[in-house]
Amino acid sequence: EVQLVESGGGLVQAGGSLRLSCTASGFTFDDYAIGWYRQAPGKEREGVSCISSSGGTSYYADSVKGRFTISSDNAKNTVYLQMNSLKPEDTAVYYCAAELRGAATYGSACLIQKRLGVWGQGTLVTVSS
């Protein structure tokens, strides 16, 4: 069974940090583009950061550049999102998602959440002001 399980969400004050983890099972991590996406109350789900199908390059939404860092440990089948300098507007449910490597997720296209087909259950991040 293909599965993604996120962890690491919680409540943090503005300016603080959190690290999210996403562990994959049932598929070979190396064969997939993978990323983090979030959905704030009343808003559409959006791409936060991803590792693309093409060369494993990382991409970030403009709103998180310089504050968030995506990384992966293929041996552990785990991808991380280090979030620093958190702001109240970062409050959202954060999802990990993956898609078999292909043209649909080349380059920054991996930020387009509709192009990914395997999703975790999400983890809530709340940033208080």
Side-chain angles (χ1 to χ4, degrees), residues 40-66:
K43 294 187 176 181
E44 293 187 355
R45 192 175 300 183
E46 62 177 357
V48 175
S49 181
C50 60
I51 301 173
S52 77
S53 289
S54 51
T57 304
S58 301
Y59 293 87
Y60 298 89
D62 288 343
S63 59
V64 307
K65 281 180 182 176

PDB file of all heavy atoms in Angstrom, residues 40-66:
ATOM      1  N   ALA A  40      -4.852  26.708   4.206  1.00  0.00           N
ATOM      2  CA  ALA A  40      -5.302  27.537   5.311  1.00  0.00           C
ATOM      3  C   ALA A  40      -6.830  27.587   5.311  1.00  0.00           C
ATOM      4  O   ALA A  40      -7.461  27.356   4.272  1.00  0.00           O
ATOM      5  CB  ALA A  40      -4.728  28.940   5.174  1.00  0.00           C
ATOM      6  N   PRO A  41      -7.419  27.890   6.452  1.00  0.00           N
ATOM      7  CA  PRO A  41      -8.886  27.956   6.518  1.00  0.00           C
ATOM      8  C   PRO A  41      -9.463  28.910   5.477  1.00  0.00           C
ATOM      9  O   PRO A  41      -9.011  30.050   5.356  1.00  0.00           O
ATOM     10  CB  PRO A  41      -9.141  28.464   7.939  1.00  0.00           C
ATOM     11  CG  PRO A  41      -7.951  28.038   8.718  1.00  0.00           C
ATOM     12  CD  PRO A  41      -6.800  28.138   7.767  1.00  0.00           C
ATOM     13  N   GLY A  42     -10.407  28.420   4.703  1.00  0.00           N
ATOM     14  CA  GLY A  42     -11.059  29.252   3.709  1.00  0.00           C
ATOM     15  C   GLY A  42     -10.264  29.507   2.447  1.00  0.00           C
ATOM     16  O   GLY A  42     -10.696  30.295   1.598  1.00  0.00           O
ATOM     17  N   LYS A  43      -9.121  28.860   2.322  1.00  0.00           N
ATOM     18  CA  LYS A  43      -8.283  29.090   1.143  1.00  0.00           C
ATOM     19  C   LYS A  43      -8.044  27.788   0.395  1.00  0.00           C
ATOM     20  O   LYS A  43      -8.230  26.706   0.939  1.00  0.00           O
ATOM     21  CB  LYS A  43      -6.948  29.707   1.553  1.00  0.00           C
ATOM     22  CG  LYS A  43      -7.074  31.103   2.137  1.00  0.00           C
ATOM     23  CD  LYS A  43      -5.718  31.724   2.355  1.00  0.00           C
ATOM     24  CE  LYS A  43      -5.844  33.161   2.861  1.00  0.00           C
ATOM     25  NZ  LYS A  43      -4.496  33.785   3.054  1.00  0.00           N
ATOM     26  N   GLU A  44      -7.600  27.909  -0.842  1.00  0.00           N
ATOM     27  CA  GLU A  44      -7.267  26.734  -1.620  1.00  0.00           C
ATOM     28  C   GLU A  44      -5.911  26.178  -1.193  1.00  0.00           C
ATOM     29  O   GLU A  44      -5.072  26.895  -0.666  1.00  0.00           O
ATOM     30  CB  GLU A  44      -7.237  27.081  -3.110  1.00  0.00           C
ATOM     31  CG  GLU A  44      -8.582  27.441  -3.692  1.00  0.00           C
ATOM     32  CD  GLU A  44      -8.546  27.611  -5.195  1.00  0.00           C
ATOM     33  OE1 GLU A  44      -7.449  27.536  -5.777  1.00  0.00           O
ATOM     34  OE2 GLU A  44      -9.621  27.820  -5.787  1.00  0.00           O
ATOM     35  N   ARG A  45      -5.743  24.894  -1.444  1.00  0.00           N
ATOM     36  CA  ARG A  45      -4.456  24.276  -1.167  1.00  0.00           C
ATOM     37  C   ARG A  45      -3.403  24.852  -2.114  1.00  0.00           C
ATOM     38  O   ARG A  45      -3.675  25.044  -3.308  1.00  0.00           O
ATOM     39  CB  ARG A  45      -4.562  22.769  -1.347  1.00  0.00           C
ATOM     40  CG  ARG A  45      -3.370  21.992  -0.819  1.00  0.00           C
ATOM     41  CD  ARG A  45      -3.607  20.490  -0.924  1.00  0.00           C
ATOM     42  NE  ARG A  45      -4.771  20.055  -0.163  1.00  0.00           N
ATOM     43  CZ  ARG A  45      -5.140  18.789  -0.063  1.00  0.00           C
ATOM     44  NH1 ARG A  45      -4.447  17.842  -0.683  1.00  0.00           N
ATOM     45  NH2 ARG A  45      -6.211  18.466   0.634  1.00  0.00           N
ATOM     46  N   GLU A  46      -2.208  25.097  -1.566  1.00  0.00           N
ATOM     47  CA  GLU A  46      -1.145  25.686  -2.380  1.00  0.00           C
ATOM     48  C   GLU A  46       0.172  24.954  -2.162  1.00  0.00           C
ATOM     49  O   GLU A  46       0.388  24.347  -1.113  1.00  0.00           O
ATOM     50  CB  GLU A  46      -0.951  27.166  -2.009  1.00  0.00           C
ATOM     51  CG  GLU A  46      -0.531  27.390  -0.575  1.00  0.00           C
ATOM     52  CD  GLU A  46      -0.263  28.855  -0.254  1.00  0.00           C
ATOM     53  OE1 GLU A  46      -0.353  29.696  -1.167  1.00  0.00           O
ATOM     54  OE2 GLU A  46       0.045  29.146   0.915  1.00  0.00           O
ATOM     55  N   GLY A  47       1.031  25.041  -3.154  1.00  0.00           N
ATOM     56  CA  GLY A  47       2.352  24.448  -3.038  1.00  0.00           C
ATOM     57  C   GLY A  47       3.251  25.298  -2.162  1.00  0.00           C
ATOM     58  O   GLY A  47       3.253  26.516  -2.274  1.00  0.00           O
ATOM     59  N   VAL A  48       4.009  24.648  -1.301  1.00  0.00           N
ATOM     60  CA  VAL A  48       4.947  25.327  -0.403  1.00  0.00           C
ATOM     61  C   VAL A  48       6.381  25.095  -0.878  1.00  0.00           C
ATOM     62  O   VAL A  48       7.141  26.042  -1.075  1.00  0.00           O
ATOM     63  CB  VAL A  48       4.781  24.830   1.033  1.00  0.00           C
ATOM     64  CG1 VAL A  48       5.835  25.444   1.954  1.00  0.00           C
ATOM     65  CG2 VAL A  48       3.377  25.112   1.550  1.00  0.00           C
ATOM     66  N   SER A  49       6.730  23.833  -1.057  1.00  0.00           N
ATOM     67  CA  SER A  49       8.074  23.479  -1.485  1.00  0.00           C
ATOM     68  C   SER A  49       8.050  22.074  -2.051  1.00  0.00           C
ATOM     69  O   SER A  49       7.265  21.239  -1.596  1.00  0.00           O
ATOM     70  CB  SER A  49       9.051  23.563  -0.305  1.00  0.00           C
ATOM     71  OG  SER A  49      10.369  23.245  -0.722  1.00  0.00           O
ATOM     72  N   CYS A  50       8.915  21.816  -3.013  1.00  0.00           N
ATOM     73  CA  CYS A  50       8.936  20.492  -3.616  1.00  0.00           C
ATOM     74  C   CYS A  50      10.312  20.177  -4.182  1.00  0.00           C
ATOM     75  O   CYS A  50      11.130  21.077  -4.395  1.00  0.00           O
ATOM     76  CB  CYS A  50       7.873  20.360  -4.700  1.00  0.00           C
ATOM     77  SG  CYS A  50       8.065  21.526  -6.053  1.00  0.00           S
ATOM     78  N   ILE A  51      10.518  18.891  -4.379  1.00  0.00           N
ATOM     79  CA  ILE A  51      11.708  18.386  -5.040  1.00  0.00           C
ATOM     80  C   ILE A  51      11.248  17.807  -6.366  1.00  0.00           C
ATOM     81  O   ILE A  51      10.459  16.848  -6.379  1.00  0.00           O
ATOM     82  CB  ILE A  51      12.422  17.332  -4.186  1.00  0.00           C
ATOM     83  CG1 ILE A  51      12.834  17.939  -2.837  1.00  0.00           C
ATOM     84  CG2 ILE A  51      13.643  16.795  -4.920  1.00  0.00           C
ATOM     85  CD1 ILE A  51      13.393  16.927  -1.848  1.00  0.00           C
ATOM     86  N   SER A  52      11.712  18.381  -7.451  1.00  0.00           N
ATOM     87  CA  SER A  52      11.118  18.074  -8.748  1.00  0.00           C
ATOM     88  C   SER A  52      11.586  16.740  -9.322  1.00  0.00           C
ATOM     89  O   SER A  52      12.542  16.127  -8.838  1.00  0.00           O
ATOM     90  CB  SER A  52      11.444  19.189  -9.733  1.00  0.00           C
ATOM     91  OG  SER A  52      12.786  19.058 -10.181  1.00  0.00           O
ATOM     92  N   SER A  53      10.895  16.344 -10.386  1.00  0.00           N
ATOM     93  CA  SER A  53      11.271  15.148 -11.121  1.00  0.00           C
ATOM     94  C   SER A  53      12.578  15.332 -11.881  1.00  0.00           C
ATOM     95  O   SER A  53      13.270  14.370 -12.183  1.00  0.00           O
ATOM     96  CB  SER A  53      10.169  14.801 -12.129  1.00  0.00           C
ATOM     97  OG  SER A  53       9.029  14.331 -11.489  1.00  0.00           O
ATOM     98  N   SER A  54      12.874  16.552 -12.241  1.00  0.00           N
ATOM     99  CA  SER A  54      14.022  16.827 -13.102  1.00  0.00           C
ATOM    100  C   SER A  54      15.236  17.216 -12.275  1.00  0.00           C
ATOM    101  O   SER A  54      15.383  18.347 -11.835  1.00  0.00           O
ATOM    102  CB  SER A  54      13.670  17.943 -14.083  1.00  0.00           C
ATOM    103  OG  SER A  54      13.120  19.057 -13.407  1.00  0.00           O
ATOM    104  N   GLY A  55      16.082  16.255 -12.002  1.00  0.00           N
ATOM    105  CA  GLY A  55      17.343  16.558 -11.347  1.00  0.00           C
ATOM    106  C   GLY A  55      17.277  16.766  -9.853  1.00  0.00           C
ATOM    107  O   GLY A  55      18.274  17.083  -9.220  1.00  0.00           O
ATOM    108  N   GLY A  56      16.090  16.595  -9.288  1.00  0.00           N
ATOM    109  CA  GLY A  56      15.987  16.708  -7.838  1.00  0.00           C
ATOM    110  C   GLY A  56      16.139  18.115  -7.311  1.00  0.00           C
ATOM    111  O   GLY A  56      16.426  18.322  -6.129  1.00  0.00           O
ATOM    112  N   THR A  57      15.911  19.116  -8.159  1.00  0.00           N
ATOM    113  CA  THR A  57      16.017  20.506  -7.724  1.00  0.00           C
ATOM    114  C   THR A  57      14.852  20.857  -6.808  1.00  0.00           C
ATOM    115  O   THR A  57      13.732  20.387  -7.001  1.00  0.00           O
ATOM    116  CB  THR A  57      16.012  21.436  -8.945  1.00  0.00           C
ATOM    117  OG1 THR A  57      17.061  21.055  -9.823  1.00  0.00           O
ATOM    118  CG2 THR A  57      16.203  22.882  -8.531  1.00  0.00           C
ATOM    119  N   SER A  58      15.118  21.696  -5.824  1.00  0.00           N
ATOM    120  CA  SER A  58      14.087  22.136  -4.891  1.00  0.00           C
ATOM    121  C   SER A  58      13.499  23.468  -5.335  1.00  0.00           C
ATOM    122  O   SER A  58      14.220  24.340  -5.852  1.00  0.00           O
ATOM    123  CB  SER A  58      14.670  22.293  -3.485  1.00  0.00           C
ATOM    124  OG  SER A  58      15.212  21.068  -3.025  1.00  0.00           O
ATOM    125  N   TYR A  59      12.200  23.617  -5.080  1.00  0.00           N
ATOM    126  CA  TYR A  59      11.507  24.855  -5.422  1.00  0.00           C
ATOM    127  C   TYR A  59      10.679  25.305  -4.231  1.00  0.00           C
ATOM    128  O   TYR A  59      10.246  24.484  -3.409  1.00  0.00           O
ATOM    129  CB  TYR A  59      10.600  24.649  -6.640  1.00  0.00           C
ATOM    130  CG  TYR A  59      11.380  24.386  -7.900  1.00  0.00           C
ATOM    131  CD1 TYR A  59      11.766  23.096  -8.243  1.00  0.00           C
ATOM    132  CD2 TYR A  59      11.767  25.434  -8.736  1.00  0.00           C
ATOM    133  CE1 TYR A  59      12.518  22.857  -9.390  1.00  0.00           C
ATOM    134  CE2 TYR A  59      12.510  25.202  -9.875  1.00  0.00           C
ATOM    135  CZ  TYR A  59      12.879  23.908 -10.190  1.00  0.00           C
ATOM    136  OH  TYR A  59      13.627  23.675 -11.322  1.00  0.00           O
ATOM    137  N   TYR A  60      10.468  26.616  -4.152  1.00  0.00           N
ATOM    138  CA  TYR A  60       9.744  27.190  -3.030  1.00  0.00           C
ATOM    139  C   TYR A  60       8.732  28.216  -3.514  1.00  0.00           C
ATOM    140  O   TYR A  60       8.981  28.945  -4.488  1.00  0.00           O
ATOM    141  CB  TYR A  60      10.713  27.871  -2.065  1.00  0.00           C
ATOM    142  CG  TYR A  60      11.715  26.932  -1.442  1.00  0.00           C
ATOM    143  CD1 TYR A  60      12.936  26.669  -2.053  1.00  0.00           C
ATOM    144  CD2 TYR A  60      11.422  26.291  -0.241  1.00  0.00           C
ATOM    145  CE1 TYR A  60      13.842  25.792  -1.490  1.00  0.00           C
ATOM    146  CE2 TYR A  60      12.329  25.408   0.334  1.00  0.00           C
ATOM    147  CZ  TYR A  60      13.537  25.168  -0.290  1.00  0.00           C
ATOM    148  OH  TYR A  60      14.432  24.297   0.268  1.00  0.00           O
ATOM    149  N   ALA A  61       7.630  28.290  -2.801  1.00  0.00           N
ATOM    150  CA  ALA A  61       6.707  29.392  -3.024  1.00  0.00           C
ATOM    151  C   ALA A  61       7.381  30.684  -2.574  1.00  0.00           C
ATOM    152  O   ALA A  61       8.189  30.679  -1.631  1.00  0.00           O
ATOM    153  CB  ALA A  61       5.425  29.157  -2.225  1.00  0.00           C
ATOM    154  N   ASP A  62       7.048  31.783  -3.236  1.00  0.00           N
ATOM    155  CA  ASP A  62       7.673  33.060  -2.895  1.00  0.00           C
ATOM    156  C   ASP A  62       7.467  33.421  -1.422  1.00  0.00           C
ATOM    157  O   ASP A  62       8.335  34.018  -0.786  1.00  0.00           O
ATOM    158  CB  ASP A  62       7.107  34.175  -3.782  1.00  0.00           C
ATOM    159  CG  ASP A  62       7.588  34.077  -5.213  1.00  0.00           C
ATOM    160  OD1 ASP A  62       8.585  33.373  -5.467  1.00  0.00           O
ATOM    161  OD2 ASP A  62       6.948  34.695  -6.091  1.00  0.00           O
ATOM    162  N   SER A  63       6.321  33.039  -0.881  1.00  0.00           N
ATOM    163  CA  SER A  63       5.974  33.416   0.486  1.00  0.00           C
ATOM    164  C   SER A  63       6.843  32.749   1.543  1.00  0.00           C
ATOM    165  O   SER A  63       6.864  33.195   2.697  1.00  0.00           O
ATOM    166  CB  SER A  63       4.504  33.096   0.761  1.00  0.00           C
ATOM    167  OG  SER A  63       4.256  31.721   0.566  1.00  0.00           O
ATOM    168  N   VAL A  64       7.566  31.685   1.169  1.00  0.00           N
ATOM    169  CA  VAL A  64       8.367  30.965   2.162  1.00  0.00           C
ATOM    170  C   VAL A  64       9.851  30.962   1.845  1.00  0.00           C
ATOM    171  O   VAL A  64      10.650  30.449   2.629  1.00  0.00           O
ATOM    172  CB  VAL A  64       7.875  29.510   2.348  1.00  0.00           C
ATOM    173  CG1 VAL A  64       6.382  29.479   2.656  1.00  0.00           C
ATOM    174  CG2 VAL A  64       8.211  28.660   1.140  1.00  0.00           C
ATOM    175  N   LYS A  65      10.231  31.526   0.708  1.00  0.00           N
ATOM    176  CA  LYS A  65      11.642  31.546   0.324  1.00  0.00           C
ATOM    177  C   LYS A  65      12.484  32.229   1.395  1.00  0.00           C
ATOM    178  O   LYS A  65      12.116  33.282   1.911  1.00  0.00           O
ATOM    179  CB  LYS A  65      11.818  32.274  -1.012  1.00  0.00           C
ATOM    180  CG  LYS A  65      11.471  31.440  -2.222  1.00  0.00           C
ATOM    181  CD  LYS A  65      11.680  32.223  -3.514  1.00  0.00           C
ATOM    182  CE  LYS A  65      11.279  31.397  -4.715  1.00  0.00           C
ATOM    183  NZ  LYS A  65      11.388  32.165  -5.977  1.00  0.00           N
ATOM    184  N   GLY A  66      13.600  31.609   1.717  1.00  0.00           N
ATOM    185  CA  GLY A  66      14.486  32.154   2.724  1.00  0.00           C
ATOM    186  C   GLY A  66      14.124  31.770   4.150  1.00  0.00           C
ATOM    187  O   GLY A  66      14.902  32.005   5.071  1.00  0.00           O
TER     188      GLY A  66
END
